[in-house]
């Protein structure tokens, strides 16, 4: 079997004066999870002409011999200028999806409607694969509105929803996964099969500025849709930046260190900063010194996927820095 080596980061770029709301790849420098270069000579790898013609918050998930890349259907810069409130009320309820068998050749994109009619928009999607059932659990954030408010004019707040699919062409009806009575967004999941304590670990942002807000928090439970989750840590990275979101989590295949990246949007340039822990179940995350972490600026809301030596070499050749 090809040995683990290197990492792929799939993301979009924050470019108010450009067109960064496309799919970009960055690759680790060798096997180092803290040093990165933007691939494809800095150009996007994929783009969408569907829906809003913009994609944000991409996620990459492996199935059985295939990969699916899904993203929010939203173009903020150079597209619809209605504003965040209008988008969350009446934005796209679909995700943009691509398929590949090798991470180099990709299908044309398609739209997958995941959010119900009472949702305002579907954003920040992610998926986890269950090889026992062949299903993907797709999570995303949406504000929900009463059935008698088709204009979505009343007050609401985002919840995290979940739906299931086998092929990203059709999905089961979405149901609420996380509802804390105030906005919760950007959930990322470490499945039980990958965690050292056999529990599902979820990372989310409670999107409200209040003393009681958990802000960016880490919780663990027995299964993705179980009701026994306990909060292990809250207000993560508060000491670094006043506003962070879009957590991503992955494990260093060399020494078992877990990394938690958080996207700071409090100052320019925006982008990810890193925390780490030796014990995922502890919830004790420590910042990685900036001198030890190198990532191109304005790298936004994505996912890190561990590679093998052969895949890292193939991607480096196909998408040179």
């Amino acid at each position: 079997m090809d040995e683990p080596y290197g990492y792929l980061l799939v993301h979009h770029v924050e470019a108010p004066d450009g067109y960064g709301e496309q799919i970009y790849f960055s690759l680790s420098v060798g096997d180092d999870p803290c040093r990165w270069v933007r691939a494809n000579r800095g150009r996007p790898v994929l783009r969408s002409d569907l829906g809003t013609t913009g994609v944000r918050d991409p996620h990459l998930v492996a199935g059985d011999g295939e990969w699916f890349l899904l993203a929010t259907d939203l173009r903020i810069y150079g597209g619809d200028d209605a504003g965040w409130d209008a988008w969350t009320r009446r934005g796209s309820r679909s995700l943009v999806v691509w398929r590949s068998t090798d991470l180099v050749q990709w299908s044309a994109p398609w739209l997958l409607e995941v959010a119900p009619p009472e949702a305002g928009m579907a954003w920040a999607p992610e998926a986890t694969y269950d090889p026992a059932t062949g299903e993907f659990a797709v999570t995303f954030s949406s504000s929900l509105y009463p059935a008698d408010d088709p204009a979505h004019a009343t007050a609401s707040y985002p919840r995290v929803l979940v739906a299931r699919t086998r092929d990203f062409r059709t999905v089961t009806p979405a149901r609420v996964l996380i509802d804390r009575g105030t906005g919760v967004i950007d959930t990322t999941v470490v499945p039980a099969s990958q965690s050292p304590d056999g529990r599902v670990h979820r990372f989310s942002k409670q999107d409200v500025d209040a003393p009681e807000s958990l802000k960016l928090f880490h919780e663990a439970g027995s299964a993705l849709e179980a009701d026994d989750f306990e909060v292990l840590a809250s207000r993560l990275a508060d000491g670094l930046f006043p506003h962070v979101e879009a957590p991503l989590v992955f494990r260093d295949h060399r020494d078992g260190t877990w990394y938690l990246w958080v996207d700071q949007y409090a100052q320019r340039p925006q982008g990810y900063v890193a925390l780490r822990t030796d014990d995922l179940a502890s919830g004790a995350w420590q910042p990685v010194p900036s001198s030890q972490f190198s990532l191109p600026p304005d790298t936004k809301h994505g996912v890190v996927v561990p590679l093998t030596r052969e895949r890292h070499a193939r991607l480096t050749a196909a998408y040179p820095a």
Side-chain angles (χ1 to χ4, degrees):
M1 180 181 294
D2 198 12
E3 65 177 330
Y5 182 89
Y7 306 84
L8 168 66
L9 168 63
V10 181
H11 60 95
H12 75 275
V13 172
E14 196 76 358
D17 300 319
Y19 189 1
E21 291 162 311
Q22 304 178 65
I23 303 298
Y24 290 78
F25 285 0
S26 291
L27 285 165
S28 64
V29 178
D31 203 26
D32 189 342
C34 291
R35 295 172 59 224
W36 295 81
V37 292
R38 192 162 293 163
N40 204 34
R41 298 186 173 90
R43 299 190 300 265
V45 172
L46 299 168
R47 61 167 293 166
S48 169
D49 292 318
L50 306 175
T52 68
T53 72
V55 284
R56 298 174 67 91
D57 324 324
H59 186 79
L60 180 66
V61 61
D64 185 9
E66 59 187 346
W67 297 81
F68 292 97
L69 198 161
L70 50 155
T72 304
D73 175 24
L74 175 63
R75 184 174 179 181
I76 292 176
Y77 303 113
D80 180 358
D81 62 357
W84 184 250
D85 181 72
W87 294 320
T88 58
R89 293 177 183 275
R90 294 174 293 277
S92 175
R93 294 186 289 109
S94 296
L95 308 178
V96 183
V97 184
W98 291 262
R99 179 186 178 276
S100 175
T101 57
D102 62 4
L103 300 179
V104 174
Q105 301 296 323
W106 291 89
S107 71
W110 69 87
L111 292 175
L112 173 67
E113 186 175 300
V114 294
E118 60 266 29
M121 179 174 72
W123 79 92
E126 182 167 314
T128 55
Y129 179 62
D130 184 350
T133 65
E135 288 186 321
F136 297 86
V138 182
T139 57
F140 57 94
S141 300
S142 282
S143 295
L144 300 177
Y145 299 87
D148 60 359
D149 177 23
H152 298 172
T154 54
S156 186
Y157 60 90
R159 291 84 156 169
V160 177
L161 280 68
V162 61
R164 295 185 180 270
T165 183
R166 293 181 180 275
D167 57 6
F168 289 90
R169 298 286 183 175
T170 61
V171 293
T172 61
R175 61 181 296 272
V176 174
L177 179 67
I178 304 174
D179 186 346
R180 286 186 166 269
T182 60
V184 177
I185 62 173
D186 292 357
T187 294
T188 191
V189 176
V190 177
S193 60
Q194 298 177 18
S195 67
D197 63 354
R199 293 191 293 174
V200 173
H201 289 256
R202 299 191 310 212
F203 298 77
S204 309
K205 178 188 177 182
Q206 189 167 21
D207 196 23
V208 59
D209 284 323
E212 67 276 12
S213 175
L214 298 174
K215 300 188 81 173
L216 193 72
F217 65 98
H218 172 191
E219 58 182 345
S222 61
L224 178 64
E225 298 184 54
D227 58 5
D228 59 0
F229 277 81
E230 61 170 332
V231 175
L232 302 181
S234 62
R235 292 184 168 264
L236 290 163
D238 259 19
L240 301 177
F241 294 96
H243 300 293
V244 297
E245 60 185 8
L248 68 79
V249 182
F250 67 101
R251 182 178 177 272
D252 185 335
H253 47 225
R254 300 173 303 177
D255 62 11
T257 299
W258 287 89
Y259 285 94
L260 166 63
W261 292 12
V262 297
D263 183 357
Q264 74 81 16
Y265 59 99
Q267 63 186 46
R268 297 300 306 268
Q270 297 183 27
Y272 276 112
V273 295
L275 299 90
R276 62 187 169 199
T277 186
D278 294 328
D279 181 4
L280 180 67
S282 71
W285 296 93
Q286 300 299 321
V288 175
S290 58
S291 61
Q292 299 176 19
F293 184 70
S294 174
L295 182 71
D298 295 316
T299 297
K300 301 285 289 183
H301 199 150
V303 61
V304 169
V305 176
L307 300 173
T308 62
R309 187 175 292 275
E310 187 275 334
R311 280 204 181 105
H312 189 274
R314 183 189 303 170
L315 286 166
T316 299
Y319 304 116

